[in-house]
């Protein structure tokens, strides 16, 4: 299994936000299986690209690939229109592959693209429930703002700690995110106010990855609560 524990929140948060927005339909279950298997497949596929040793990860690629294919086929049989999302996911995966091939998968742009790709599952869930993805535009935006902000915040606390440019970019982004989220729905102002506060205050402290993980677990739960209240 991948050691990137934070990726699970990035996977499940937009999916759950989609359920809160549009409700549950039976294809959501195989969609979740395909979504998780697809992430696991992409992780090892990108690792194979990065190391140039695909044979080393053959078992994982085969197991997760077949699982994603089988579950995805069930979802597409029930909701054929979902195929129109495929080019966007393929584009994001292409960007991830480019950075993996350059051994630069920790790049900021790569992280932001991954956040956008993860958030794209939200309109997919809405489409599965029979709704229009455009109706979930507000929810999509606030979830994307949270995930993108988290990429900046975590970098400012760990890998780019002490980098004033990264710190300033994170603080400025969260200030803008607060204004946008409050405009979408006033209930989001409280949650994004906290995100701004953590982006300004916590990088000044020495935060361990474990403590940061706890902070982001709380942040994920808060955005789900905010989405539920705004729905």
């Amino acid at each position: 299994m991948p050691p990137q524990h934070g990726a699970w929140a990035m996977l499940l948060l937009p999916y759950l936000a989609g359920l809160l927005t549009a409700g549950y339909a039976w294809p959501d279950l195989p969609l979740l299986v395909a979504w998780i298997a697809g992430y696991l497949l992409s992780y090892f596929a990108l690792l194979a690209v990065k190391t140039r040793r695909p044979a080393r990860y053959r078992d994982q690629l085969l197991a997760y690939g077949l699982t994603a294919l089988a579950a995805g086929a069930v979802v597409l049989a029930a909701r054929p229109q979902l195929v129109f999302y495929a080019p966007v996911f393929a584009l994001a995966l292409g960007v991830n592959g480019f950075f993996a091939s350059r051994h630069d998968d920790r790049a900021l742009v790569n992280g932001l693209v991954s956040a956008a790709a993860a958030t794209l599952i939200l309109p997919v869930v809405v489409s599965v429930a029979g709704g229009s993805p455009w109706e979930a535009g507000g929810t999509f935006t606030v979830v994307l703002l949270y995930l993108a902000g988290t990429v900046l915040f975590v970098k400012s606390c760990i890998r780019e700690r002490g980098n004033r440019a990264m710190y300033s970019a994170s603080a400025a982004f969260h200030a803008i995110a607060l204004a946008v989220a409050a405009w979408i729905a006033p209930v989001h102002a409280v949650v994004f106010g906290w995100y701004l506060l953590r982006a300004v205050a916590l990088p000044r402290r020495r935060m361990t990855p474990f403590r940061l993980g706890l902070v982001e677990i709380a942040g994920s739960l808060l955005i789900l609560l905010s989405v539920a209240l705004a729905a």
Side-chain angles (χ1 to χ4, degrees):
M1 297 292 287
Q4 297 178 343
H5 306 298
W8 294 102
M10 190 175 286
L11 283 173
L12 296 176
L13 172 60
Y15 176 87
L16 294 174
L19 291 181
L20 290 172
T21 302
Y24 173 79
W26 74 263
D28 283 319
L29 184 56
L31 175 64
L32 179 60
V33 174
W35 181 235
I36 292 176
Y39 160 67
L40 295 170
L41 173 64
S42 68
Y43 175 84
F44 287 104
L46 293 172
L47 206 55
V49 170
K50 183 177 180 180
T51 61
R52 294 178 173 83
R53 298 176 64 184
R56 182 178 181 180
Y57 307 103
R58 180 181 55 201
D59 292 344
Q60 293 95 328
L61 295 174
L62 201 59
Y64 296 134
L66 290 175
T67 302
L69 184 64
V74 173
V75 178
L76 285 177
R79 301 289 191 273
Q81 68 272 22
L82 297 183
V83 73
F84 292 108
Y85 288 98
V88 185
F89 283 111
L91 178 61
L93 189 60
V95 173
N96 294 154
F98 170 76
F99 281 101
S101 68
R102 293 166 56 90
H103 296 265
D104 195 21
D105 44 310
R106 298 287 185 179
L108 176 60
V109 171
N110 195 45
L112 293 175
V113 168
S114 296
T119 311
L120 191 62
I121 196 64
L122 196 158
V124 174
V125 172
V126 174
S127 297
V128 165
S132 167
W134 302 110
E135 296 173 0
T139 305
F140 176 88
T141 301
V142 295
V143 171
L144 178 58
L145 287 173
Y146 167 67
L147 292 179
T150 294
V151 172
L152 292 165
F153 166 65
V154 171
K155 281 190 175 295
S156 70
C157 289
I158 300 181
R159 292 183 177 274
E160 299 291 339
R161 187 173 184 272
N163 184 329
R164 293 189 62 84
M166 179 61 69
Y167 173 79
S168 299
S170 176
F173 178 90
H174 281 87
I176 295 171
L178 169 59
V180 173
W183 177 77
I184 291 171
V187 69
H188 297 315
V190 176
V191 175
F192 277 83
W194 156 246
Y195 296 153
L196 174 59
L197 178 62
R198 94 199 193 303
V200 171
L202 294 187
R204 300 177 184 274
R205 303 170 61 89
R206 189 171 295 278
M207 298 288 292
T208 65
F210 176 75
R211 289 181 177 178
L212 276 177
L214 294 179
V215 169
E216 289 315 294
I217 288 173
S220 297
L221 294 176
L222 284 173
I223 191 65
L224 283 177
L225 176 61
S226 185
V227 167
L229 292 173

